């Protein structure tokens, strides 16, 4: 499984410090392998323009929510990233 990302996701991702980006990267790598598991599909949101899953990465100093969906059978689309400190 590969991934692509939106400009919205990338803008927030680029603003993270090296310390904060490491657990986000770990979550993305695990998502590539475990995308069909309950861990990856912790929450599902429905909106007017579609739906997405929310995956939460938590460390002592960071809580990050990755919003993602399948772009096609071989790719995951990382839609947005919300970071709380």
């Amino acid at each position: 499984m590969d991934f692509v990302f939106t400009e919205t996701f990338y803008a927030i991702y680029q603003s993270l410090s090296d310390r904060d980006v490491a657990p986000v990267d770990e979550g993305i790598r695990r998502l590539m392998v475990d995308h069909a598991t309950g861990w990856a599909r912790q929450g599902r949101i429905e909106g007017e323009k579609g739906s997405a899953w929310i995956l939460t990465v938590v460390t002592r100093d960071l809580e990050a929510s990755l919003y993602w969906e399948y772009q096609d059978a071989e790719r995951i689309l990382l839609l947005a990233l919300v970071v709380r400190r």
Side-chain angles (χ1 to χ4, degrees):
M1 184 68 66
D2 291 325
F3 71 91
V4 294
F5 48 82
T6 64
E7 289 181 24
T8 302
F9 180 92
Y10 192 63
I12 299 300
Y13 181 87
Q14 284 292 96
S15 72
L16 296 175
S17 69
D18 289 344
R19 186 183 73 190
D20 289 342
V21 83
V24 172
D25 284 350
E26 184 178 321
I28 292 169
R29 282 192 296 275
R30 185 173 174 193
L31 178 60
M32 298 303 101
V33 175
D34 293 339
H35 56 88
T37 66
W39 171 84
R41 297 180 181 195
Q42 294 174 22
R44 184 162 174 86
I45 56 171
E46 300 284 338
E48 291 180 14
K49 297 183 180 183
S51 63
W53 281 285
I54 303 170
L55 177 115
T56 303
V57 175
V58 179
T59 68
R60 184 174 151 226
D61 300 318
L62 173 82
E63 181 178 332
S65 296
L66 290 80
Y67 294 78
W68 68 277
E69 67 180 15
Y70 290 106
Q71 185 171 37
D72 58 38
E74 299 298 321
R75 280 184 292 214
I76 289 173
L77 175 61
L78 300 173
L79 297 163
L81 177 62
V82 175
V83 176
R84 292 171 286 288
R85 292 181 193 356

